[in-house]
Amino acid sequence: MPYGTPPVTRRVEGGKFNRFLATLPPHDFALLAPQLRTIALERGAMLHDVGEEIEHVYFPHSGMVSLVVVMQSGAMVETASIGRAGVIGASAGLGARWAFARSIVQLPGTAGCISASQFHAAANQSQAIRDFIVPYNDVLLAQVQQSVACNALHTVEARLCRWLLQARDCVDGDAIPLTQEFLGQMLGVRRTTVTLAARLLQSAGIIRYRRGLIQILDRAALEAISCECYAVVRYNVDKVFPHSSAKLATSGKIFGPRTTRTPEKDDTPLV
């Protein structure tokens, strides 16, 4: 296998566990567990690229992955962000072969990883897995559509607040390692525009910014300034994955050991 040693029985520390996996009934989770490996999501790692075959499926336990559209000029804009309440490559379970967007790790963390062929095989045996993939793909599409409306209709300040709230949910903390240049790329605006918006939030005592790190000081104020898109996306996710992320946290389920790299590509046929 391309990503490490055989799985072992272990407990998930701190209650941080991917919500897709946590919501599965024990029997259905057991179809995935022997093949799952825990990997490190390293900042900047590209998990999928648009038009490439999906070789692995990722279930983030922490950190954040962005789905981005890259134009011919090299300019990028984020269309969706995925953390513990999501999956990268979920459509492979239904037989999809190709990635429709570039997936880049923006905030480091860990994830469960399984080959696309193994995930598809498990989904073929599990109605529960299939029943989660379909609504999750709907939620992901809804987030992409919400991002289109948000980018077209809302101010940079509101969009920045929305993005910071989403990032905070992914890292489970108020300290977010982000640069203004990166935020500009994700929001599709110039760095100077992000700088002005961040200064306004800092002067209002809502955030504190120093190079490479944003500290959220007042989440309530951030939510008040954010556009409605944050609440809409979170509501849609919670409908599919109720707050059950701690369900497997102390159950001693089988789950693979952490490795320090993302899987290498191989020639295994994909579904």
Side-chain angles (χ1 to χ4, degrees):
M1 289 187 181
Y3 26 75
T5 56
V8 296
T9 301
R10 68 184 291 269
R11 293 178 182 271
V12 180
E13 295 83 4
K16 293 184 178 181
F17 201 83
N18 180 270
R19 287 172 68 180
F20 183 103
L21 296 177
T23 307
L24 290 174
H27 171 76
D28 302 272
F29 176 77
L31 295 173
L32 300 174
Q35 289 79 39
L36 282 167
R37 298 295 182 275
T38 303
I39 65 165
L41 295 176
E42 299 178 353
R43 185 195 298 273
M46 184 165 62
L47 306 182
H48 297 147
D49 202 3
V50 60
E52 289 188 350
E53 289 187 325
I54 300 173
E55 298 191 354
H56 299 92
V57 179
Y58 303 87
F59 303 87
H61 302 308
S62 58
M64 186 180 73
V65 177
S66 290
L67 302 186
V68 301
V69 173
V70 185
M71 309 305 288
Q72 289 183 349
S73 64
M76 292 191 302
V77 64
E78 183 186 74
T79 58
S81 58
I82 300 175
R84 193 163 63 251
V87 185
I88 299 94
S91 56
L94 302 179
R97 293 178 58 90
W98 315 105
F100 67 87
R102 179 175 293 181
S103 305
I104 302 176
V105 178
Q106 303 293 7
L107 298 176
T110 62
C113 177
I114 188 172
S115 75
S117 57
Q118 290 170 333
F119 184 55
H120 184 231
N124 281 339
Q125 299 178 62
S126 168
Q127 184 66 45
I129 292 176
R130 296 194 301 274
D131 285 346
F132 278 124
I133 293 173
V134 173
Y136 174 70
N137 282 342
D138 289 342
V139 166
L140 190 60
L141 177 59
Q143 184 179 168
V144 172
Q145 293 175 322
Q146 197 74 34
S147 293
V148 172
C150 186
N151 290 340
L153 300 175
H154 295 150
T155 66
V156 173
E157 291 80 7
R159 289 162 54 200
L160 174 59
C161 291
R162 181 260 302 171
W163 204 95
L164 290 175
L165 288 167
Q166 290 176 330
R168 188 197 180 284
D169 288 346
C170 290
V171 301
D172 274 339
D174 292 322
I176 306 172
L178 295 170
T179 65
Q180 291 183 4
E181 181 177 3
F182 159 73
L183 281 171
Q185 290 177 337
M186 292 301 97
L187 297 174
V189 298
R190 294 181 179 180
R191 177 183 173 181
T192 52
T193 303
V194 175
T195 299
L196 290 174
R199 284 177 179 171
L200 288 173
L201 295 178
Q202 182 163 262
S203 63
I206 299 172
I207 67 170
R208 179 185 300 119
Y209 175 77
R210 66 174 185 271
R211 185 170 183 81
L213 184 69
I214 293 178
Q215 181 84 21
I216 296 176
L217 304 177
D218 190 339
R219 180 191 172 108
L222 208 61
E223 290 188 6
I225 298 173
S226 171
C227 54
E228 72 264 28
C229 298
Y230 168 72
V232 169
V233 170
R234 183 163 181 170
Y235 173 75
N236 288 336
V237 170
D238 287 343
K239 282 196 302 183
V240 177
F241 304 128
H243 292 287
S244 58
S245 58
K247 186 164 112 178
L248 297 181
T250 57
S251 62
K253 291 290 182 182
I254 294 175
F255 203 71
R258 173 172 172 169
T259 64
T260 57
R261 57 188 177 89
T262 54
E264 298 172 358
K265 294 184 178 180
D266 58 22
D267 296 325
T268 303
L270 297 181
V271 195

